[in-house]
């Protein structure tokens, strides 16, 4: 079974002169063409195409994908149109359970949710006739989804949806948060559980990323519904807030149907009872696996092989080091700074002096509002400290919340270091696919990749990346880790990476600096520490321990007060048990 997909955001027949049609061997026979124009759009007939791949190679904009799928894929649940994305299989909610979804961006998670929410009636791959729930119910006969779609048809499912792109809220809502949440005890209880009662009096336009996320999660938890869907609830929250959010969802929605899409593996693991893995080729097709137990599902995803389905979803395995290994020789000093203090209004930062070596990536762990940005800005000479520091370092900085302007992405990259961009960044951050798009119209994950690429492409001595993992899928997080490490080595520079995804911080860092204290009042920054010590100090402060999954090495959060939790705390081993 062959599928041909055209990315119409990239296809520009007026620019290439309809090149694909003129190179296609089927078209050349002069009988019926495989590639043709209809209603001003390029189409490829999947029946006539012989799969030679010439058009794929020749298209100057990389707009065509041709893939052979095994027959067992069967009928798609939904296809957006001819030569467009198709979705196979669907996840389904379970009463009284949190069902997690894990998989690459662009493989149909949002499409599936819109179907379950009743926003799209799936067409079962037939986009020429009108879709109907009767056909869908017949299609899913004998499965859990038959009952679900029957209820949906009768209008008996109320879905509550916490969207991924929360900055949209800031664009439409202005004024105090309390104007947008009901004034009752439930609201106060939900906010209390999220430790966010104080946001009620703040204006929506002044909320930080984390506060906006809490507002969005609270708004969903307050609503009465049958099925709750949370799309990436942990972005912009710090570690403690992520755990609090998970507990709030589990406790307040116990007995309900909950579906969560989340790329922080430790949080997904902690939050979910079951997992659906979605796999496929981004923007081409996606397929949902069967329902799996949470540990098994995440492990199968990481190992790249779905056992029950007997499908390899990735060429390589993603595994994590179970021990802290120092990856870089600490030979050449790039930055040596003394202990210093900074006073900004009511906030005071005390930083311990430290040394960073060529090519090093130092992870920063600490809550929001504790002075991480202030710290780096001080090293850059932008903020006055006692004693004053001025190394004359050039800093390249990616803020936590990315907002790109309304210009073509290509323009943003004018004047960057082209060599490093071409050799290291372009491919691993998948820049070719977005270069012609308008930056502000890109998805959250695409904007994040552009912002990281821009930050790394600028010449600097010191790089600061604040929450680069937000909106990226697991594979992209791994690629970002590798590219940041490679670019630092090549530039002989150093980076501080702030992130709240503990698995990612572990993966990306050579050493770790820990920020402790009281957010908004005072912060204390340690010197860069060996990873074992850094993790132990940060997690002791948070009162959280992790164990390691024996199969994949991934860190798993221990339940507070469990035997493992208590035993590890006694030994002082919060992370590398
Ligand atoms: P995910 O949530 O996993 O990132 P989505 O369901 O948002 O994936 O999208 C999967 C693919 O479906 C996208 O890459 C896009 O190509 C396609 N798609 C999404 N919405 C539409 C639409 N309304 N019309 C046509 N194609 C769409
Ligand atoms: P983080 O990066 O850890 O989230 P920041 O360094 O941005 O924290 O901020 C730490 C604290 O300092 C916050 O409470 C913030 O409001 C305060 N702060 C930051 N800049 C200023 C400033 N120019 N004047 C007064 N307070 C500031
Ligand atoms: Fe040109 Fe590629 Fe579009 Fe074909 S698919 S018309 S080669 S841009
Ligand atoms: Fe034609 Fe080959 Fe492209 Fe198929 S893959 S449309 S046969 S050029």
């Amino acid at each position: 079974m062959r599928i041909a997909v055209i990315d119409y955001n990239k296809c520009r027949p007026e620019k290439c002169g309809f090149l694909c049609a003129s190179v296609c061997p089927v078209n050349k026979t002069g009988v019926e063409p495989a590639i043709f124009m209809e209603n001003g759009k390029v189409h490829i007939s999947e029946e006539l195409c012989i799969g030679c791949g010439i058009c794929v190679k020749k298209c100057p904009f990389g707009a065509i994908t041709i893939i052979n799928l095994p027959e067992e894929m069967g009928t798609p649940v939904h296809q957006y149109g001819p030569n467009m994305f198709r979705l196979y299989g669907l996840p389904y909610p379970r009463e009284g359970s949190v069902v997690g979804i894990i998989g690459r961006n662009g493989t149909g998670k949002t499409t599936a949710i819109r179907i379950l929410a009743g926003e799209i009636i799936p067409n079962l791959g037939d986009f020429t006739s009108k879709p109907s729930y009767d056909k869908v119910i017949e299609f899913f006969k004998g499965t859990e989804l038959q009952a679900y779609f029957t209820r949906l048809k009768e209008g008996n499912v109320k879905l509550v949806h916490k969207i991924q792109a929360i900055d949209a809220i800031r664009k439409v809502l202005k004024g105090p948060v309390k104007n947008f949440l009901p004034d009752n005890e439930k609201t106060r209880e939900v906010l209390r559980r999220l430790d966010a009662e104080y946001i009620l009096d703040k204006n929506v336009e002044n909320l930080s990323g984390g506060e906006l996320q809490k507002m969005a999660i609270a708004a969903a938890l307050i609503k009465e519904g049958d099925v709750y869907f949370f799309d990436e609830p942990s972005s912009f929250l710090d570690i403690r807030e992520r755990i609090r959010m998970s507990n709030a969802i589990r406790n307040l929605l116990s007995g309900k149907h909950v579906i969560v899409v989340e790329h922080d593996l430790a949080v997904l693991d902690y939050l979910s009872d079951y997992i659906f893995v979605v796999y496929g080729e981004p923007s081409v097709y996606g397929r949902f696996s069967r329902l799996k137990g949470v540990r098994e599902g995440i492990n199968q995803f990481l190992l790249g092989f779905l056992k029950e389905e007997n499908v390899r979803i990735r060429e390589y395995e993603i595994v994590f080091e179970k021990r802290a290994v120092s990856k870089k020789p600490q030979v050449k000093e790039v930055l040596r700074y003394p202990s210093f203090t900074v006073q900004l209004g009511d906030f005071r930062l005390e930083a311990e002096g430290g040394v960073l070596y060529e090519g090093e990536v130092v992870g920063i762990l600490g809550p929001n509002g504790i002075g991480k940005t202030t710290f780096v800005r001080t090293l850059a000479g932008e903020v006055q400290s006692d004693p004053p520091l001025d190394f004359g370092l050039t800093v390249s900085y990616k803020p936590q919340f990315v907002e790109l302007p309304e210009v073509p992405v290509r323009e943003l990259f004018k004047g960057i270091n082209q060599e490093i961009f071409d050799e290291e960044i372009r491919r691993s951050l998948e820049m070719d696919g977005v270069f012609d798009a308008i930056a502000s119209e890109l998805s959250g994950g695409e904007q994040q990749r552009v912002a990281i690429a821009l930050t790394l492409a600028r010449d600097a001595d010191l790089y600061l990346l604040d929450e680069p993992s937000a909106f990226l899928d697991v594979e992209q997080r791994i690629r970002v880790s590798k590219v940041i490490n490679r670019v630092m080595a090549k530039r002989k520079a150093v980076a501080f990476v702030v992130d709240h995804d503990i698995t990612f911080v572990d993966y990306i860092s050579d050493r770790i600096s820990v920020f402790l204290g009281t957010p908004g009042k005072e912060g204390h920054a340690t010197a860069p520490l060996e990873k074992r010590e850094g993790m132990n100090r940060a997690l002791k402060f948070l009162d959280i321990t992790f164990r390691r999954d024996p199969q994949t090495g991934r860190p798993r959060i221990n339940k507070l007060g469990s035997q493992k939790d208590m035993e590890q705390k006694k030994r002082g081993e919060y992370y590398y048990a």
Side-chain angles (χ1 to χ4, degrees):
M1 191 171 68
R2 182 168 299 124
I3 64 172
V5 173
I6 300 173
D7 184 340
Y8 291 106
N9 292 324
K10 293 185 193 160
C11 173
R12 298 268 180 281
E14 69 288 355
K15 283 202 180 156
C16 71
F18 200 14
L19 181 64
C20 47
S22 53
V23 297
C24 172
V26 176
N27 283 39
K28 280 183 186 165
T29 61
V31 192
E32 211 183 335
I35 306 185
F36 55 94
M37 198 68 90
E38 199 173 271
N39 301 328
K41 268 182 155 181
V42 177
H43 287 292
I44 298 180
S45 156
E46 291 171 355
E47 284 73 41
L48 296 174
C49 165
I50 54 168
C52 70
I54 294 177
C55 60
V56 178
K57 281 205 199 84
K58 293 281 178 178
C59 171
F61 303 111
I64 306 176
T65 310
I66 310 258
I67 288 189
N68 289 319
L69 289 181
E71 286 296 335
E72 310 86 84
M73 291 295 270
T75 309
V77 170
H78 188 68
Q79 180 170 355
Y80 280 108
N83 299 126
M84 283 176 150
F85 178 82
R86 58 204 93 180
L87 181 66
Y88 297 87
L90 273 182
Y92 48 86
R94 276 218 152 171
E95 188 171 350
S97 302
V98 178
V99 174
I101 296 177
I102 185 155
R104 299 204 56 184
N105 285 333
T107 52
K109 297 183 291 297
T110 308
T111 304
I113 295 314
R114 294 187 60 206
I115 291 172
L116 294 179
E119 289 169 31
I120 298 175
I121 302 179
N123 59 21
L124 308 174
D126 174 9
F127 39 81
T128 52
S129 39
K130 201 168 174 306
S132 84
Y133 277 128
D134 289 330
K135 289 187 215 164
V136 179
I137 292 164
E138 178 62 27
F139 181 76
F140 284 113
K141 209 169 169 177
T143 72
E144 309 234 1
L145 284 158
Q146 179 188 5
Y148 186 84
F149 280 107
T150 306
R151 285 180 61 198
L152 203 56
K153 181 190 166 195
E154 291 160 358
N156 270 342
V157 186
K158 186 162 169 6
L159 193 123
V160 178
H161 188 173
K162 199 295 288 174
I163 57 168
Q164 182 214 54
I166 50 167
D167 54 331
I169 300 171
R170 203 158 24 192
K171 289 187 186 129
V172 272
L173 306 184
K174 307 270 176 226
V177 171
K178 63 179 171 212
N179 291 0
F180 304 103
L181 298 176
D183 180 16
N184 59 28
E185 185 44 40
K186 174 123 191 231
T187 299
R188 283 183 287 277
E189 190 203 339
V190 166
L191 288 174
R192 206 159 36 238
R193 284 187 187 252
L194 296 171
D195 197 21
E197 285 161 293
Y198 71 95
I199 65 171
L200 279 172
D201 292 316
K202 286 197 163 199
N203 287 337
V204 179
E205 56 272 33
N206 295 335
L207 296 182
S208 70
E211 290 164 345
L212 201 58
Q213 185 71 272
K214 287 190 229 175
M215 176 185 172
I217 291 168
L221 288 172
I222 289 162
K223 287 200 187 103
E224 271 306 319
D226 302 303
V227 183
Y228 291 77
F229 174 62
F230 293 89
D231 198 347
E232 299 186 36
S234 72
S235 316
F236 307 126
L237 299 184
D238 64 37
I239 297 176
R240 185 177 291 194
E241 291 166 333
R242 285 175 192 213
I243 293 194
R244 219 179 265 133
M245 169 276 289
S246 303
N247 290 337
I249 290 178
R250 289 200 64 93
N251 296 335
L252 292 170
L253 300 181
S254 87
K256 304 270 186 177
H257 298 77
V258 183
I259 298 189
V260 179
V261 172
E262 180 54 60
H263 302 295
D264 178 326
L265 288 174
V267 170
L268 181 74
D269 181 57
Y270 183 71
L271 184 52
S272 316
D273 301 300
Y274 299 98
I275 291 287
F276 281 103
V277 178
V278 56
Y279 60 98
E281 182 68 29
S283 299
V284 178
Y285 82 98
R287 178 173 192 95
F288 278 90
S289 74
R290 294 175 213 185
L291 188 73
K292 296 172 188 285
V294 62
R295 171 172 178 263
E296 192 57 25
I298 296 179
N299 281 358
Q300 290 186 8
F301 167 77
L302 289 175
L303 296 173
F305 183 70
L306 306 184
K307 209 162 109 197
E308 291 79 14
E309 289 81 359
N310 193 25
V311 187
R312 177 145 289 287
I313 60 167
R314 196 187 315 105
E315 292 302 317
Y316 57 96
E317 295 183 348
I318 298 173
V319 288
F320 300 92
E321 298 283 350
K322 293 185 188 130
R323 282 175 210 301
V325 280
S326 179
K327 286 179 277 183
K328 305 224 174 87
Q330 296 177 344
V331 186
K332 225 170 145 209
E333 282 183 21
V334 173
L335 170 65
R336 175 178 285 272
Y337 57 94
S339 297
F340 63 85
T341 59
V342 177
Q343 188 76 42
L344 278 180
D346 294 337
F347 179 79
R348 182 178 170 83
L349 171 69
E350 285 182 10
E352 232 171 73
V355 186
L356 266 70
Y357 299 91
E358 201 173 283
E360 257 198 324
V361 177
V362 174
I364 290 186
L365 283 176
N368 289 326
I370 198 87
K372 302 179 298 284
T373 308
T374 305
F375 171 79
V376 180
R377 290 185 58 220
T378 311
L379 293 180
E382 290 174 21
V383 173
Q384 269 301 318
S385 61
D386 178 22
L389 311 179
D390 186 9
F391 305 109
L393 292 179
T394 318
V395 171
S396 183
Y397 170 46
K398 186 204 81 69
Q400 189 190 42
F401 232 165
V402 172
E403 267 178 272
L404 298 180
E406 204 180 327
V407 300
V409 172
R410 190 177 293 284
E411 274 181 33
L412 298 175
F413 284 86
K414 280 185 180 144
I416 51 116
N417 184 319
Q418 198 65 40
E419 189 189 322
I420 290 201
F421 180 73
D422 285 339
E423 286 175 9
E424 302 291 345
I425 300 168
R426 181 194 290 265
R427 257 191 44 164
S428 34
L429 294 180
E430 303 164 282
M431 283 297 103
D432 287 333
V434 298
F435 239 55
D436 292 306
I438 301 295
S440 55
E441 290 172 7
L442 295 174
S443 72
E446 288 166 335
Q447 294 207 25
Q448 185 69 270
R449 282 189 279 121
V450 169
I452 296 170
L454 268 175
T455 307
L456 295 176
R458 281 185 219 119
D459 285 316
D461 314 293
L462 172 63
Y463 290 80
L464 173 72
L465 294 110
D466 197 346
E467 209 179 343
S469 76
F471 305 131
L472 300 184
D473 63 38
V474 172
E475 270 110 327
Q476 288 166 337
R477 288 176 194 207
I478 300 249
R479 244 177 288 141
V480 162
S481 300
K482 290 183 173 158
V483 74
I484 291 176
N485 271 286
R486 279 202 312 270
V487 169
M488 289 314 118
K490 194 152 198 168
R491 288 183 175 284
K492 304 186 192 315
V494 293
F496 281 109
V497 176
V498 176
D499 211 279
H500 307 295
D501 174 342
I502 201 113
T503 318
F504 175 72
V505 173
D506 185 16
Y507 197 86
I508 195 169
S509 314
D510 299 299
R511 288 187 295 159
I512 289 172
S513 259
V514 183
F515 281 59
L516 307 170
T518 312
K521 293 204 175 73
E522 42 112 17
H524 176 87
T526 71
L529 303 169
E530 292 308 320
K531 266 162 80 171
R532 181 188 196 95
E533 198 192 339
M535 284 291 189
N536 275 338
R537 279 227 222 156
L539 295 175
K540 186 169 186 180
F541 178 70
L542 294 170
D543 200 30
I544 302 167
T545 60
F546 283 78
R547 65 190 182 284
R548 291 307 183 119
D549 180 78
Q551 220 178 351
T552 56
R554 70 182 161 93
R556 305 186 73 192
I557 300 169
N558 289 325
K559 289 236 152 50
L560 188 70
S562 67
Q563 201 177 347
K564 277 214 163 71
D565 181 57
M566 302 212 293
E567 189 219 341
Q568 281 180 232
K569 278 176 183 163
K570 211 153 136 204
R571 279 191 287 127
E573 293 290 6
Y574 283 72
Y575 194 67
Y576 297 101

